[in-house]
Amino acid sequence: MAGRGERPGGLSQGAPVIPYGRHSVDESDIAAVSAVLRGDWLTTGPVVDEFERALSGHAGGVPCVSVTSGTTALHVAYAAAGIGPGDEVVVTPMTFVATAAAAAMLGARVVFADVEQDTANLDPAAAEAAITTRTKVVTAIDYAGHPADWDAFRKITEGRDILLLDDAAHALGSRYRGRPIGSAADLTTFSFFPTKNVTTAEGGAVAVADLALLPRVRMLRNHGLVRDPLHMRWPDEGGWHQEVHAFSLNYRLPDLLCALGVSQLRRLESFKAERARLAARYAAMLDQVEGIRLPVHRQDVEVMAHLYPIRVLDGRRKEIYQSMRRSGIGVQVNYVPVYWHPVFSDQGYRRGLCPNAERFYAEELSLPLYPGLTDQQQGQVVDGLVAALKGRA
Ligand SMILES: *Cc1c(COP(=O)(O)O)cnc(C)c1O
């Protein structure tokens, strides 16, 4: 079964009994979606606005534009930033491939800069060293929900013509120095895939803190269409007239899915509390276990615990992964350094480029973490890990 938030093809030996991530859908979510099915608008209706307003309320009041996925949110964000051939984008390698692929698809050159050893977030010093006169965007993610050091990035890009992009697929609900994620960078993208912090099945959004970019983000979400006569080249053509000002695609998130989003956002705080409770339980139960390291949590951030990424020491990550998977525990590895993907390595990106990211990848193992994971299941995960580390699973 490829459901339960697992990406198709991600399973080597059948579906795990305890998945690494999973959506939580309750009767209130079902009622919200059913109400839209009975109404007049399946797509491009009033619930889209309602969802965007509600999302903005969780993103520091920054205007949000919904789209069909976290990936298309990145594509729209990079396109709004105006990147193309000849431009460079500095990107973290410790992320899902879409963070970099969306920029590459627009013809920009992706420049990978290394991550911090503790958080696995893009290292501001490494990002600064990677900047050239051609750099147009610096993109970090908030890995596992732990915010990147946004003030440090701001210092680096200040006074230069460089936009800050936050791929916050993990971090809706997190805060950086008191500020909600969504308001830390110039553009922030969210994903609502089932394993993320809230879901619309498939879905995403761009939070647009740089208000000058907002009309462009809205236009690119919808074929590059301009409908406001104030912005048309030929406003007197007639009432039917609309103009395409840029090539784009249809990235509209339907009302049906936005209704699920509105309902899920009402549950965001309870999801956050439950994820925090489970993360604290892991920390307490694993504190004395040898052969692993637990994730860090810096003072000045509030973490929406999206993943629970432990480090498996002594070169044993693969062995522990296989052992736990055999026991039906859906551990996961987040992520293979992006430039290892053949689509990048075929272009000459070499292994060794970002040593911290590669070392982190070699040790990383994400334990199951989602609202709905029971204490008993969590106990099974811990027992499975301890048994695997003792070599008797
Ligand atoms: C999930 C994810 C994406 C892609 O989002 P989709 O909604 O699956 O397209 C991009 N970046 C990161 C860091 C993610 O975790």
Side-chain angles (χ1 to χ4, degrees), residues 92 94 115-124 141-149 153 170 293-298 300-301 303 309 311 334 360 364:
T92 175
M94 188 40 61
V115 299
E116 299 170 335
Q117 289 187 37
D118 56 348
T119 62
N121 279 326
L122 182 63
D123 180 350
I141 79 166
D142 306 301
Y143 180 86
H146 189 300
D149 193 352
F153 293 125
H170 297 185
R293 277 219 313 252
L294 303 186
V296 297
H297 186 157
R298 288 192 185 165
D300 53 356
V301 299
V303 176
R311 315 272 285 271
N334 303 94
F360 184 85
E364 199 275 340

Side-chain angles (χ1 to χ4, degrees), residues 25-39:
V25 167
D26 71 7
E27 289 304 321
S28 70
D29 297 317
I30 293 167
V33 174
S34 302
V36 171
L37 276 171
R38 295 195 177 91

Side-chain angles (χ1 to χ4, degrees), residues 97-177:
V97 64
T99 318
M105 283 189 72
L106 288 161
R109 200 172 98 78
V110 176
V111 178
F112 293 100
D114 210 350
V115 299
E116 299 170 335
Q117 289 187 37
D118 56 348
T119 62
N121 279 326
L122 182 63
D123 180 350
E128 182 164 33
I131 287 173
T132 72
T133 52
R134 294 179 293 279
T135 306
K136 288 281 156 52
V137 180
V138 170
T139 308
I141 79 166
D142 306 301
Y143 180 86
H146 189 300
D149 193 352
W150 292 104
D151 284 349
F153 293 125
R154 185 62 70 190
K155 261 200 205 111
I156 292 165
T157 56
E158 227 158 39
R160 308 195 218 206
D161 195 15
I162 299 175
L163 285 170
L164 278 182
L165 173 52
D166 180 3
D167 176 351
H170 297 185
L172 177 61
S174 296
R175 284 172 179 265
Y176 173 77
R177 298 189 173 163

Side-chain angles (χ1 to χ4, degrees), residues 8 10 34 47 66 76 92 110 116 118-119 153 158 174 180 226 228 264 275 277 304 322 333 337 357 365:
S34 302
V47 188
S66 60
V76 164
T92 175
V110 176
E116 299 170 335
D118 56 348
T119 62
F153 293 125
E158 227 158 39
S174 296
V226 172
D228 181 349
Q264 288 265 302
R275 284 179 178 277
R277 190 186 75 82
M304 171 63 128
Q322 286 173 337
V333 171
L365 192 70

Side-chain angles (χ1 to χ4, degrees), residues 208-279:
V208 190
D210 183 341
L211 295 179
L213 294 173
L214 187 57
R216 222 176 127 71
V217 169
R218 290 216 171 102
M219 174 184 84
L220 290 163
R221 176 251 304 266
N222 188 26
H223 303 282
L225 271 170
V226 172
R227 288 196 168 122
D228 181 349
L230 272 176
H231 297 115
M232 283 182 184
R233 186 128 353 138
W234 296 294
D236 302 325
E237 184 64 22
W240 61 85
H241 187 59
Q242 44 186 9
E243 299 175 348
V244 170
H245 285 202
F247 289 119
S248 194
L249 296 169
N250 169 5
Y251 289 142
R252 299 184 306 262
L253 190 66
D255 282 53
L256 200 59
L257 300 184
C258 287
L260 181 53
V262 171
S263 180
Q264 288 265 302
L265 284 175
R266 287 194 194 109
R267 305 176 60 206
L268 180 67
E269 286 308 315
S270 72
F271 289 159
K272 184 173 174 177
E274 185 56 8
R275 284 179 178 277
R277 190 186 75 82
L278 290 166

Side-chain angles (χ1 to χ4, degrees), residues 7 68-72 74 95-96 98-99 141 167 169-170 190-193 195-196 202-204 306 335:
R7 284 172 191 279
T68 47
S69 71
T71 303
T72 56
L74 286 159
T95 181
F96 183 58
T99 318
I141 79 166
D167 176 351
H170 297 185
F190 295 116
S191 165
F192 311 121
F193 188 73
T195 52
K196 305 299 163 85
E202 299 282 358
H306 175 62
Y335 296 92

